[in-house]
Amino acid sequence: MVVPGLAHHLATGILARSWWLARDGRADGTALPLDTVSEGEQPGRRMQAQRAGWPGLAEDQRDLLSAVGIEPDAEPVAATAAAEAKPTVSRSDRFAQGLAALARSAGRERHPRVPRPHREPVERVDAGPGGEEQVAVSHFAPGT
């Protein structure tokens, strides 16, 4: 069975390992310039992408990268984790919020015709950190 992208990953891994071995295992993966080109590959860019996408890598990939001294980049990993922790709003919830914005605007203006650029603020209650409730304000464009 052929795994998509496996040859590319292997070639990049071999390139990274040869680069690391050529420096007697003392090379810092973060010190490799991003625009370095070796055998048609850009190992600096590839290492940066692997360090930033560490949680999305397979355990075997992380082990191999760690073995050659490449570790995760804490800042993008933390940003990814924070983005994934945010609650997502379903389409039906967004539709209901949009209807609430239209109803609020129509009640205030006494007609349902809303100018296209108008943004109507709608408050919603979300579960915050530690289970406490927090109010979030969304702006909807009921005229679109």
Side-chain angles (χ1 to χ4, degrees), residues 1-131:
M1 179 167 86
V2 177
V3 178
L6 180 62
H8 179 72
H9 288 295
L10 288 174
T12 304
I14 291 168
L15 183 63
R17 182 160 174 74
S18 65
W19 174 77
W20 182 74
L21 288 172
R23 286 153 185 78
D24 297 323
R26 291 188 300 253
D28 179 11
T30 61
L32 182 65
L34 297 179
D35 57 352
T36 300
V37 177
S38 177
E39 298 178 20
E41 292 284 334
Q42 293 181 311
R45 290 197 189 282
R46 182 72 181 159
M47 284 184 213
Q48 179 187 38
Q50 288 174 328
R51 292 181 69 231
W54 197 266
L57 297 176
E59 186 175 344
D60 293 344
Q61 288 174 310
R62 291 192 298 259
D63 291 344
L64 288 171
L65 290 169
S66 294
V68 296
I70 299 171
E71 297 297 325
D73 190 354
E75 190 174 309
V77 169
T80 301
E84 289 174 355
K86 287 184 180 179
T88 57
V89 181
S90 70
R91 284 184 172 183
S92 60
D93 289 344
R94 292 279 299 170
F95 184 76
Q97 291 169 348
L99 281 179
L102 179 60
R104 184 173 170 184
S105 175
R108 183 181 60 248
E109 301 295 325
R110 306 232 190 260
H111 60 81
R113 295 177 308 279
V114 181
R116 193 166 187 76
H118 175 71
R119 302 284 185 256
E120 187 72 29
V122 175
E123 293 181 354
R124 68 175 192 276
V125 178
D126 292 336

